[in-house]
Amino acid sequence: MKKSVFLGALTVASFVAGAAAAATLDDVKARGELNCGVNTGLVGFAAPDANGNWAGFDVAICKAVAAAVLGDSSKVKYVPTTGQTRFTALASGEIDLLVRNSTWTFTRDTDLKLDFAGVNYYDGQGFMVRRDLGVSSAKELDGATVCIQTGTTTELNLADFFKANNMSYQPIAIDTNAEGEQQYLAGACDAYTTDASGLAATRAAFADPENHIILPEIISKEPLGPVVRHGDNEWGDIVRWTLNALVAAEEYGVTSANIEELSKGTQNPEVNRLLGTEGDLGAMIGLDKEWAKRAIAAGGNYGEIFAANIGEQTPIGLARGLNAQWTQGGLLYAPPFR
Amino acid sequence: MAEIAPFVRHEMLPAEPAPASEAGVLHWLRANLFSSPLNVVLTFAGVFIVYWLVSHSAPWLMHSVWAADSLGECRAIIAERWGPDATGACWAVIRDRWHQYLFGFYPWEHIWRPITVFALLFVAIAPVLFSSVPRKLLWFTLAYPLLALWLLWGGTIWPEVMIAAGFGIGALGFMLGARFGSLGAISLGTLAAALFWVVPAAPLEHALAAMLPIGLPEVSSDQFGGFLLAVTVGVGAIALSLPMGVLLALGRRSDMFLIRALCIGFIEFIRGVPLITLLFVASLLLNYFLPPGTNFDIILRVEILVTFFAAAYIAEVVRGALSALPRGQYEAADALGLDYWKAQRLIILPQALKISIPGIVSTFIGMFKDTTLVVFVGLFDPLKGISDFVRADFAWKGIYWEPYIFVGCIFFLFNFSMSRYAMYLEQKLKRDHR
């Protein structure tokens, strides 16, 4: 606790009300620390280990931005946010950046006065059922009981899906993922529905994963991405292009292993511009030449981050799917660095 | 005349044992368990429930595993030892993460600080709780909050010294003002302390910190979690809400319109709003009003709101006790010529507080458990906040009951001791029907 603040509170200092500052970049630089809003705990995406060090797919974005802006990927203050507090925390200025598996939707982008800086994971809602239920498609779930987290977009998607297919279902309301798994395993519901990435992790953690199947249907689009405040376009640019740099780095074969060598200069002018050996893209977003190099070096390019946190080599074992490069049939497509 | 031999028994008959139906186990069973058809049914139902609970939980508890690195490993060990269908408790998660349940992310090399603070807590509250402890320890009790503040959060010691100095100056003002009566004493004391804190405290603190940088490494609030957070918020709120609640209760019964209106407004507003709303206000809404970049500590904010919440309830408990006192007590105090504060201190409050002990302790217990609600503003409470991220580690994903049971046991320990102490206090203070 800042003690001077405590004194300040005692003295009832006259606080001057003011809107959240426009220049987030200056604030972050002055503070020397990036306040990054993350999930309070989601397998593979954000979780502190036994020593309190945060790691995960979302956390890696925070680290990359901190590396680009402050030159040190460890200068991040992770602010755990819940589903209820996340957007308010961002709007009120408590955090500079929100990377908390938040779905990019129309109302969040416009009505909530937020800006999604891009998509770091294309997710979608799926179903898991017990194998002995004998169901192979979500279309056969008519009359099923479904465990569903209340107050989420998944709840609305579920209603839409069953309505569109003229089927009925009985929802079993649950509060958290852990509770949902417990209810599903106890047989309270026939099917458990949540984001496909979450289902994969949940299934992998079961004692008998072979007895459960994830149905092939994905019933919704859940583009998850980093969010910034509406109205500070400079800061939004930095986050957007940091994410793009990670994606582009994978496309051009820039990895944390070869980045030092490549930054000495290559035949590929785009790589040179990305790593700052040619031109000065950094200056245009208020950073130095090597911002993207540091962002990539922090945790590797997009592919490396994916593989290390949620990829097929990890227990969660997610395939790239939609999250492959556009050259590989996925949706990742970084605009040119020019 | 025939000799009549009077029959007089010379020796006592040996006592017969009571009939089998009136003594021993059988009698106890009949009297307590099978005295009526309804009781017979209830007894069997009760036995069945207990049997059901034990038969379901006992194997699970017997098959406990303590040494493993992940839930999968636990399951493998259980399957190996007790067969493939056996279920068992995986306490290895507690073994792996107990320090986070107790201390959150508090840096391990400074862990002696919260432990010391917790140990000293018992020294500090001993003189308050037990009259047999030497009274001189009360001075330590007074200094304890500032000592705890410094040890837990670190930094230089001077801000705490300044706060203490302010209280000292306030006390001086109180004594000087005492010749003008209670009101004079209180207002002069408050004024002196406030003046000191507003004007010279901050520059003085900086000067002293520059000259004598005595301090500990700082630990920021976001590193607090688990029971360290619950106890910090809980104990702080208990200590602050009792005096505040008593003052509010007195204010609500005051004859002065403004004070009464303010107290009623405060109490009714705080009681009428759910605690979660207040926590959201503390965590989110305040940021809109404070200038950007202000670092108004989140634990301090939560602490203030939880204190307000508890104080409003305590105020109503105490007000109930004040109303229960016979009018004669107030009149007797007036007849003795005591002024308002003396009457409250010597006659009214000792009786009122005694009556309200069960209510006050209930409020405290409820509030201590309510500290787990801080999870909704993104702080790591022991029940859900810590468990959520422990489960987010793939090694422990899927673990469910063990953390709840562990945390529940610790909460029970705290709350049961509070409740027992309250009963002891009630017995001790009992003055009637001896």
Side-chain angles (χ1 to χ4, degrees):
Chain A
M1 189 188 310
K2 278 284 269 290
K3 239 61 74 36
S4 51
V5 172
F6 185 82
L7 272 183
L10 278 176
T11 55
V12 199
S14 53
F15 290 117
V16 189
T24 311
L25 176 61
D26 297 338
D27 287 352
V28 173
K29 277 185 172 165
R31 203 187 304 133
E33 198 174 46
L34 175 74
N35 291 340
C36 197
V38 292
N39 199 310
T40 49
L42 180 66
V43 176
F45 284 81
D49 66 9
N51 300 318
N53 300 316
W54 287 81
F57 190 69
D58 280 345
V59 168
I61 304 290
C62 298
K63 286 184 174 167
V65 173
V69 174
L70 299 168
D72 186 347
S73 64
S74 65
K75 288 189 175 160
V76 185
K77 183 184 163 195
Y78 297 99
V79 181
T81 54
T82 66
Q84 291 90 7
T85 62
R86 53 181 165 180
F87 297 127
T88 326
L90 180 62
S92 68
E94 197 188 338
I95 54 179
D96 308 310
L97 169 65
L98 177 72
V99 198
R100 190 200 176 278
N101 54 296
S102 301
T103 307
W104 188 352
T105 68
F106 182 91
T107 45
R108 284 176 182 172
D109 203 341
T110 57
D111 198 29
L112 286 183
K113 300 263 183 294
L114 304 174
D115 273 344
F116 281 78
V119 176
N120 68 335
Y121 189 84
Y122 291 93
D123 213 335
Q125 188 177 341
F127 293 94
M128 177 164 61
V129 294
R130 267 177 296 279
R131 193 175 285 281
D132 53 22
L133 197 65
V135 170
S136 60
S137 158
K139 300 259 170 71
E140 298 167 25
L141 284 175
D142 195 10
T145 48
V146 182
C147 280
I148 175 82
Q149 251 175 296
T150 51
T152 58
T153 50
T154 49
E155 193 182 15
L156 307 173
N157 296 332
L158 181 72
D160 286 356
F161 174 76
F162 274 80
K163 199 174 170 191
N165 287 292
N166 202 16
M167 301 191 298
S168 68
Y169 70 102
Q170 196 189 339
I172 306 285
I174 52 163
D175 183 40
T176 60
N177 207 7
E179 195 193 325
E181 290 168 31
Q182 204 49 224
Q183 293 278 29
Y184 170 75
L185 286 178
C189 45
D190 301 323
Y192 178 46
T193 181
T194 185
D195 287 346
S197 60
L199 281 184
T202 300
R203 178 173 174 270
F206 281 168
D208 53 346
E210 66 283 355
N211 290 335
H212 304 268
I213 51 172
I214 294 173
L215 300 178
E217 282 87 355
I218 297 293
I219 65 165
S220 73
K221 290 183 286 186
E222 310 280 351
L224 314 178
V227 198
V228 294
R229 271 184 298 279
H230 203 82
D232 186 356
N233 295 11
E234 285 73 21
W235 178 247
D237 284 344
I238 290 172
V239 176
R240 174 176 304 110
W241 286 95
T242 303
L243 178 59
N244 282 337
L246 299 180
V247 174
E250 189 190 12
E251 188 183 343
Y252 303 135
V254 181
T255 66
S256 52
N258 67 11
I259 192 164
E260 283 304 328
E261 194 185 328
L262 293 179
S263 60
K264 290 182 185 123
T266 65
Q267 299 297 318
N268 186 339
E270 180 115 6
V271 171
N272 292 346
R273 282 195 296 273
L274 178 67
L275 297 181
T277 42
E278 198 178 308
D280 192 1
L281 295 183
M284 299 177 198
I285 51 173
L287 300 176
D288 60 355
K289 275 184 181 182
E290 295 195 321
W291 64 280
K293 179 188 163 190
R294 286 194 306 269
I296 297 162
N301 62 35
Y302 183 91
E304 290 175 89
I305 293 171
F306 194 101
N309 292 299
I310 51 181
E312 280 172 330
Q313 301 304 314
T314 66
I316 302 162
L318 292 174
R320 285 295 288 269
L322 289 178
N323 298 293
Q325 293 286 336
W326 63 285
T327 49
Q328 310 285 322
L331 291 176
L332 293 185
Y333 188 97
F337 277 76
R338 184 175 291 280
Chain B
M1 218 172 143
E3 187 95 350
I4 298 169
F7 180 78
V8 176
R9 190 181 283 282
H10 294 293
E11 73 281 3
M12 290 292 285
L13 278 180
E16 287 285 327
S21 63
E22 290 299 319
V25 181
L26 215 59
H27 172 69
W28 187 90
L29 284 176
R30 270 182 72 154
N32 291 297
L33 298 180
F34 301 105
S35 59
S36 71
L38 179 67
N39 273 5
V40 172
V41 172
L42 288 178
T43 300
F44 278 113
V47 167
F48 176 74
I49 290 172
V50 170
Y51 167 76
W52 186 83
L53 282 176
V54 170
S55 68
H56 275 72
S57 58
W60 188 75
L61 286 172
M62 304 258 276
H63 300 169
S64 292
V65 173
W66 280 93
D69 286 329
S70 71
L71 183 58
E73 212 173 293
C74 269
R75 283 173 180 151
I77 293 172
I78 290 165
E80 184 195 321
R81 286 190 198 157
W82 293 287
D85 290 331
T87 55
C90 184
W91 300 109
V93 64
I94 307 299
R95 195 182 132 109
D96 188 38
R97 297 294 187 110
W98 63 273
H99 57 282
Q100 288 183 329
Y101 277 99
L102 296 189
F103 302 111
F105 299 129
Y106 208 91
W108 194 244
E109 65 269 26
H110 300 309
I111 213 71
W112 61 271
R113 280 154 55 177
I115 294 173
T116 312
V117 168
F118 188 65
L120 289 179
L121 173 65
F122 292 100
V123 181
I125 58 174
V128 182
L129 298 186
F130 303 103
S131 51
S132 54
V133 177
R135 294 295 87 191
K136 279 188 177 154
L137 257 185
L138 276 172
W139 289 106
F140 177 73
T141 309
L142 284 177
Y144 175 77
L146 294 172
L147 182 66
L149 197 67
W150 178 59
L151 278 175
L152 285 178
W153 276 276
T156 65
I157 198 169
W158 298 112
E160 280 82 4
V161 172
M162 288 301 122
I163 296 171
F167 279 116
I169 289 170
L172 211 67
F174 185 88
M175 279 188 273
L176 283 179
R179 67 181 67 169
F180 308 112
S182 298
L183 192 69
I186 290 170
S187 42
L188 198 65
T190 319
L191 199 72
L195 256 178
F196 174 76
W197 281 325
V198 173
V199 187
L204 201 61
E205 176 212 324
H206 287 301
L208 282 169
M211 276 195 294
L212 284 170
I214 307 171
L216 290 165
E218 279 196 33
V219 178
S220 65
S221 283
D222 57 319
Q223 288 169 296
F224 283 58
F227 278 98
L228 173 59
L229 180 68
V231 171
T232 306
V233 174
V235 170
I238 285 174
L240 292 171
S241 65
L242 186 59
M244 190 173 167
V246 170
L247 285 180
L248 280 170
L250 292 177
R252 190 165 182 169
R253 290 172 60 88
S254 163
D255 295 330
M256 285 177 272
F257 172 75
L258 194 64
I259 289 181
R260 192 172 66 232
L262 281 176
C263 288
I264 291 179
F266 181 88
I267 292 171
E268 294 303 330
F269 172 73
I270 299 278
R271 282 204 315 161
V273 176
L275 179 56
I276 293 186
T277 314
L278 294 178
L279 289 176
F280 276 135
V281 168
S283 132
L284 300 169
L285 205 59
L286 271 181
N287 274 6
Y288 283 111
F289 301 125
L290 300 176
T294 312
N295 179 16
F296 189 4
D297 190 86
I298 179 78
I299 293 185
L300 180 60
R301 282 188 267 170
V302 165
E303 177 85 63
I304 290 171
L305 268 298
V306 172
T307 304
F308 282 0
F309 194 75
Y313 277 87
I314 299 256
E316 287 301 280
V317 170
V318 173
R319 189 174 68 93
L322 288 175
S323 309
L325 282 193
R327 196 162 168 73
Q329 297 292 328
Y330 293 89
E331 284 164 358
D334 287 344
L336 285 173
L338 298 175
D339 70 3
Y340 178 77
W341 292 108
K342 280 204 179 115
Q344 297 299 338
R345 190 161 57 84
L346 299 173
I347 301 207
I348 308 298
L349 281 180
Q351 300 183 63
L353 289 179
K354 192 183 83 187
I355 301 175
S356 49
I357 287 170
I360 290 177
V361 172
S362 282
T363 310
F364 283 163
I365 288 177
M367 193 215 55
F368 185 55
K369 289 187 291 184
D370 280 351
T371 56
T372 54
L373 290 177
V374 298
V375 69
F376 289 106
V377 295
L379 291 176
F380 288 116
D381 83 296
L383 193 64
K384 189 159 177 296
I386 302 282
S387 300
D388 267 3
F389 78 68
V390 167
R391 289 193 195 106
D393 182 345
F394 191 81
W396 303 116
K397 187 171 170 58
I399 205 128
Y400 194 73
W401 296 108
E402 292 86 345
Y404 283 144
I405 293 173
F406 173 67
V407 173
C409 285
I410 296 185
F411 264 113
F412 180 79
L413 220 64
F414 277 110
N415 291 333
F416 189 66
S417 343
M418 270 198 257
S419 144
R420 283 280 122 175
Y421 172 75
M423 288 175 77
Y424 154 81
L425 198 61
E426 274 177 64
Q427 283 300 320
K428 203 183 82 166
L429 296 180
K430 214 171 183 179
R431 289 285 175 270
D432 46 351
H433 310 300
R434 283 207 163 180

